[in-house]
Amino acid sequence: MKTTINQKETRNSGILYLNHRKKSIHPEEVVYLKSYDNYTKFHLKDGRVILASYTMKIFEKQLSGKGDFTRIHRGTLVNLKYITGFEKTTDGNVACLSTGEKIDVSRRKMRILDLP
């Protein structure tokens, strides 16, 4: 039985499991993750939002080799393929996403990403 579970995990290594393996998603569906204390909200490209009961740090480790994910703010991890551009507003910098949403980008991350 244990061998079967390990083989299944190896076969589906591209899948991200949430909420104690009750839900699963493909990393390319994830537009961005937002941290809420000990919870993380996954914002997906189809508009769904899934609340997971783990910290974003755990998911950041899982997503490290599964796409172009990077932190653009202390509590936000974004999939770079969904960023269409950046804007400077009176409140700071925002990233424009292909879903039409705009999310905050910290000053330090703007410098690190080498963006205007």
Side-chain angles (χ1 to χ4, degrees):
M1 183 80 169
K2 207 172 206 179
T3 310
T4 309
I5 292 170
N6 288 338
Q7 288 173 348
K8 189 175 182 180
E9 286 178 9
T10 306
R11 228 177 322 149
N12 296 329
S13 62
I15 294 176
L16 187 65
Y17 293 98
L18 309 174
N19 295 334
H20 308 284
R21 301 181 71 85
K22 292 179 184 171
K23 290 187 179 190
S24 62
I25 56 173
H26 291 280
E28 58 267 3
E29 292 180 47
V30 179
V31 178
Y32 68 97
L33 290 74
K34 193 86 171 154
S35 174
Y36 294 95
D37 293 326
N38 289 328
Y39 295 91
T40 303
K41 279 190 181 178
F42 283 77
H43 295 261
L44 306 179
K45 68 179 178 182
D46 62 3
R48 290 184 298 148
V49 177
I50 298 173
L51 182 67
S53 58
Y54 291 109
T55 63
M56 191 168 67
K57 185 176 183 177
I58 292 171
F59 292 117
E60 185 176 18
K61 287 179 185 176
Q62 289 180 6
L63 290 168
S64 65
K66 297 180 182 179
D68 291 330
F69 288 91
T70 189
R71 275 192 196 247
I72 60 169
H73 203 275
R74 182 178 178 192
T76 308
L77 185 70
V78 70
N79 190 341
L80 293 176
K81 77 176 195 176
Y82 290 104
I83 294 179
T84 57
F86 294 91
E87 291 180 5
K88 194 169 200 138
T89 64
T90 56
D91 295 331
N93 299 307
V94 293
C96 302
L97 304 175
S98 59
T99 59
E101 295 175 274
K102 294 182 179 185
I103 53 177
D104 293 329
V105 181
S106 72
R107 289 186 308 264
R108 284 187 182 145
K109 294 299 180 176
M110 284 297 284
R111 279 187 256 135
I112 291 170
L113 292 170
D114 198 28
L115 301 168

